[in-house]
Amino acid sequence: MIIIVMGVAGSGKTTVARLLAKQLSWTFRDSDEFHPPANIEKMSRGIPLDDADRAPWLTAMCAVIEAWMRDNTNAVLTCSCLKADYRKTLLVDPTRMRLVYLKGSFELIEARLVQRTNHFMKVNLLKSQFEIIEEPQDDIVVDVSHQPEVIVQKIRTKLRM
């Protein structure tokens, strides 16, 4: 099984997904690893990415997902997955994949981003993410106001793991 943990920047994707993968003894990858240098540079300057910018990023993640599928590797991947089309691209086999949406208020997540250091994603880009996010309707949704351990337990309960 592959679990994609999605949400806007600062929602806790990396923290939660890493902890979930550790508890399950599964492979973990962060979607930030797949951004081409031009995307990181753009976000570092506070410029939002567009669909063209995200295309090579999604393609790189798809290649890893397909390899995991071939090898029957259980994995947890983070990805903002802001649009339904992005999720459709990544969910190559819905029978073997689950999507977990980490949802929180703009104010809570903005406060987290303000405290975060040494990350290319700038706090001023959060507004653009909230403006374009197409929230998933039929997936697991978890409130991010809880501690990471509680969030992971809620995910595991909903996945019956």
Side-chain angles (χ1 to χ4, degrees), residues 115-132:
Q115 294 179 0
R116 187 162 76 174
T117 58
N118 298 324
H119 194 278
F120 59 83
M121 180 68 179
K122 303 299 180 201
V123 70
N124 67 317
L125 294 176
L126 183 61
K127 185 174 186 263
S128 69
Q129 289 198 337
F130 268 88
E131 288 172 350
I132 67 166

Side-chain angles (χ1 to χ4, degrees), residues 2-160:
I2 297 171
I3 299 169
I4 298 178
V5 178
M6 68 157 287
V8 297
S11 61
K13 294 183 299 290
T14 301
T15 301
V16 168
R18 184 176 280 131
L19 181 57
L20 178 63
K22 182 178 179 182
Q23 286 185 12
L24 298 173
S25 298
W26 287 12
T27 297
F28 166 77
R29 295 289 299 270
D30 190 307
S31 63
D32 288 347
E33 301 170 34
F34 300 95
H35 275 297
N39 284 7
I40 293 172
E41 172 63 25
K42 197 171 183 179
M43 289 184 284
S44 295
R45 294 190 328 235
I47 301 169
L49 300 180
D50 58 26
D51 288 346
D53 296 322
R54 289 187 181 98
W57 175 64
L58 291 166
T59 299
M61 284 186 286
C62 276
V64 169
I65 289 168
E66 289 168 358
W68 287 336
M69 292 284 184
R70 275 192 312 275
D71 298 339
N72 291 313
T73 300
N74 293 317
V76 181
L77 172 69
T78 68
C79 182
S80 54
C81 289
L82 298 175
K83 294 185 178 182
D85 283 348
Y86 304 162
R87 294 188 293 274
K88 188 183 290 186
T89 298
L90 294 177
L91 293 170
V92 296
D93 184 350
T95 65
R96 297 170 60 195
M97 300 180 75
R98 295 299 306 264
L99 186 74
V100 175
Y101 173 34
L102 300 182
K103 182 176 180 171
S105 71
F106 179 87
E107 295 76 20
L108 172 66
I109 295 173
E110 180 182 44
R112 289 179 177 180
L113 283 178
V114 167
Q115 294 179 0
R116 187 162 76 174
T117 58
N118 298 324
H119 194 278
F120 59 83
M121 180 68 179
K122 303 299 180 201
V123 70
N124 67 317
L125 294 176
L126 183 61
K127 185 174 186 263
S128 69
Q129 289 198 337
F130 268 88
E131 288 172 350
I132 67 166
I133 192 165
E134 299 168 359
E135 294 187 343
Q137 302 302 313
D138 301 322
D139 297 289
I140 295 170
V141 179
V142 182
D143 180 351
V144 299
S145 64
H146 304 287
Q147 291 298 313
E149 295 79 9
V150 173
I151 294 170
V152 168
Q153 187 54 53
K154 288 178 180 289
I155 293 168
R156 291 186 67 177
T157 298
K158 290 181 180 192
L159 289 172
R160 296 183 178 97

